[in-house]
Amino acid sequence: MEQEQNIIDRMVYLRKTLDMARILTGIQSSGRPHLGNLLGAILPAIELSKDEKNESLFFIADLHSLTTIKDPAVRTENVNATAATWLAFGFDTEQNLLYRQSRVTEVCELTWFLNCFTPYPMLANAHSFKEKSDKLSDVNAGLFTYPVLMASDIILYDADIVPVGKDQRQHIEITRDIALTFNHRYGDTFIIPEAKIDEQVMTIPGTDGQKMSKSYGNTIDIFLPDKALRKQVMSIVTDSTPLEEPKNPDTCNVFALYRLLASKSQVQEMRKKYEQGNYGYGHAKQELFELILSKYEKQRELFNHYMEHADELNQKLENGEEKARAIAQQVLARVKAKLGF
Ligand code: ADP
Ligand code: TRP
């Protein structure tokens, strides 16, 4: 036991002295990534991964998505689209790991062990479970134990830092609770992870001005073919101020999205046009559409390339999975030794 405790102590000490961290995050494959996912989660995580002192493990939570998506073809399409998005935006899979959660089956074994250390009321009181069970018709046990699988995702890889959106704060608290309970009973076995929640990251508005979300049907998918993308942009909700009248950019959904993507001078330019009048919402939408096409030209090409070359995509994922499995097996062995299995 003492020797095992030393492993965690040594790991924590080494990472502290070298000022390095293992960063881990997952994205559910419950749809194709939209502009909100991209600006709110994917791009900030890729930025973090560029710090050479960090080691980043990013995965596609396809087991979690089975709680809601039962069709294998839909799931595969979503998994591929999510992986293609990370790659299109330059996530370096040589330095870091990109993998499918389901391909490292050790996570299921650890989930069972952790289930047996998770108090029922902690899951019954989780906000996200309460919310989902109110909303969905299929309230399955997977939805209930969702946070335990998430805890396994994190502690199976000795992760230090978990960048997530605000909505995931409670899930990280649950992860910490479970890991601390286990450590308390069996001696240090798990690294206790910390959430990294960027309060600055704005909630990206959707086409109707509410939070952009797959579940509200108000998303912008920057990887759509031109025509379909234009249709999404044109569907942004605006008021009915006539074309010739001046308009307030600060209350307009089109401007809210434009300012997230445009340069400072482009934003100033558009603000002037709004305030001068003789500039319609249709014009603003066309400019937003063209900006998305030009800004993400390279990424749109790369995304399509990976979607059309699933073999290349799979190869990259399989490389990540092999490396992820090696870490997972070591940690799981540590747990099994403690439990006497
Ligand atoms: P959705 O609401 O579309 O189902 P998810 O819950 O799958 O999105 O979110 C995946 C990640 O993207 C999370 O880290 C979440 O915080 C982030 N995210 C989702 N929507 C937005 C948004 N509108 N603005 C900023 N970040 C977002
Ligand atoms: N629950 C997360 C979400 O919906 C996705 C997720 C699953 C995750 N496992 C994780 C995030 C582990 C961070 C770490 O966004």
Side-chain angles (χ1 to χ4, degrees):
M1 177 98 89
E2 229 164 68
Q3 211 181 1
E4 289 293 332
Q5 244 164 4
N6 286 341
I7 289 180
I8 299 292
D9 281 351
R10 273 209 309 271
M11 195 150 44
V12 171
Y13 174 77
L14 253 172
R15 290 186 189 173
K16 275 234 165 76
T17 11
L18 299 173
D19 189 26
M20 63 163 292
R22 183 172 284 170
I23 300 183
L24 174 143
T25 198
I27 291 219
Q28 265 203 82
S29 43
S30 52
R32 284 166 52 117
H34 53 73
L35 193 59
N37 300 142
L38 201 62
L39 300 180
I42 298 175
L43 294 186
I46 292 180
E47 259 333 287
L48 267 180
S49 76
K50 288 184 180 154
D51 183 338
E52 279 174 12
K53 281 186 295 203
N54 293 337
E55 181 187 13
S56 293
L57 280 68
F58 295 159
F59 68 93
I60 301 157
D62 51 353
L63 292 172
H64 276 116
S65 72
L66 187 60
T67 55
T68 51
I69 295 185
K70 309 296 198 229
D71 182 331
V74 173
R75 191 181 59 247
T76 304
E77 156 86 12
N78 293 343
V79 167
N80 289 353
T82 309
T85 305
W86 286 102
L87 294 172
F89 277 88
F91 180 57
D92 181 346
T93 52
E94 295 299 316
Q95 296 292 323
N96 304 289
L97 276 65
L98 181 67
Y99 57 98
R100 286 162 290 204
Q101 178 190 36
S102 62
R103 300 296 175 108
V104 187
T105 52
E106 282 76 3
V107 79
C108 296
E109 202 173 344
L110 180 60
T111 299
W112 178 256
F113 295 145
L114 298 186
N115 265 326
C116 299
F117 292 87
T118 306
Y120 172 87
M122 189 153 88
L123 297 181
N125 291 324
H127 311 309
S128 87
F129 175 68
K130 285 201 234 171
E131 207 185 292
K132 287 178 189 166
S133 55
D134 279 348
K135 225 170 49 190
L136 299 173
S137 54
D138 172 19
V139 184
N140 55 63
L143 221 45
F144 187 69
T145 56
Y146 185 110
V148 188
L149 177 57
M150 182 157 163
S152 301
D153 286 332
I154 298 170
I155 60 186
L156 183 59
Y157 296 98
D158 284 330
D160 302 296
I161 295 175
V162 187
V164 280
K166 284 178 223 166
D167 57 323
Q168 298 296 314
R169 188 191 298 273
Q170 192 183 38
H171 285 155
I172 309 295
E173 282 308 315
I174 293 176
T175 303
R176 290 169 58 90
D177 273 355
I178 298 173
L180 282 164
T181 303
F182 195 101
N183 281 358
H184 186 67
R185 174 85 168 72
Y186 294 97
D188 282 353
T189 310
F190 298 122
I191 299 260
I192 307 299
E194 275 181 43
K196 182 174 187 302
I197 297 171
D198 193 343
E199 303 289 346
Q200 304 301 317
V201 169
M202 286 182 280
T203 301
I204 311 301
T207 52
D208 57 358
Q210 286 191 80
K211 171 188 181 276
M212 187 180 292
S213 168
K214 274 161 277 187
S215 31
Y216 303 147
N218 62 355
T219 58
I220 291 185
D221 175 351
I222 64 153
F223 298 118
L224 283 176
D226 293 19
K227 212 170 146 197
L229 174 60
R230 186 166 187 278
K231 199 167 156 208
Q232 276 191 343
V233 173
M234 290 296 157
S235 76
I236 299 174
V237 179
T238 53
D239 63 28
S240 52
T241 316
L243 183 131
E244 54 285 356
E245 277 184 33
K247 299 175 182 62
N248 182 359
D250 297 318
T251 55
C252 175
N253 294 328
V254 187
F255 188 78
L257 285 166
Y258 187 81
R259 71 188 308 170
L260 290 168
L261 305 178
S263 68
K264 241 187 178 161
S265 62
Q266 284 174 315
V267 175
Q268 273 169 355
E269 189 76 9
M270 187 179 275
R271 177 178 287 283
K272 243 198 285 167
K273 291 184 193 164
Y274 267 75
E275 289 168 352
Q276 270 170 1
N278 272 326
Y279 181 72
Y281 291 122
H283 298 131
K285 289 177 184 178
Q286 181 63 27
E287 284 195 49
L288 173 60
F289 167 63
E290 284 168 15
L291 177 64
I292 296 175
L293 288 186
S294 59
K295 186 176 175 89
Y296 296 129
E297 185 186 357
K298 193 179 102 215
Q299 288 87 351
R300 281 164 52 86
E301 250 171 48
L302 267 172
F303 178 89
N304 287 332
H305 172 84
Y306 283 117
M307 291 304 275
E308 283 155 18
H309 297 84
D311 47 336
E312 239 178 88
L313 194 72
N314 273 318
Q315 190 55 55
K316 286 190 186 291
L317 289 166
E318 280 166 20
N319 286 344
E321 282 145 15
E322 201 181 310
K323 292 186 217 160
R325 200 171 299 121
I327 303 174
Q329 283 172 349
Q330 279 185 15
V331 179
L332 188 63
R334 214 193 280 154
V335 178
K336 288 171 88 166
K338 292 288 175 75
L339 292 172
F341 280 107

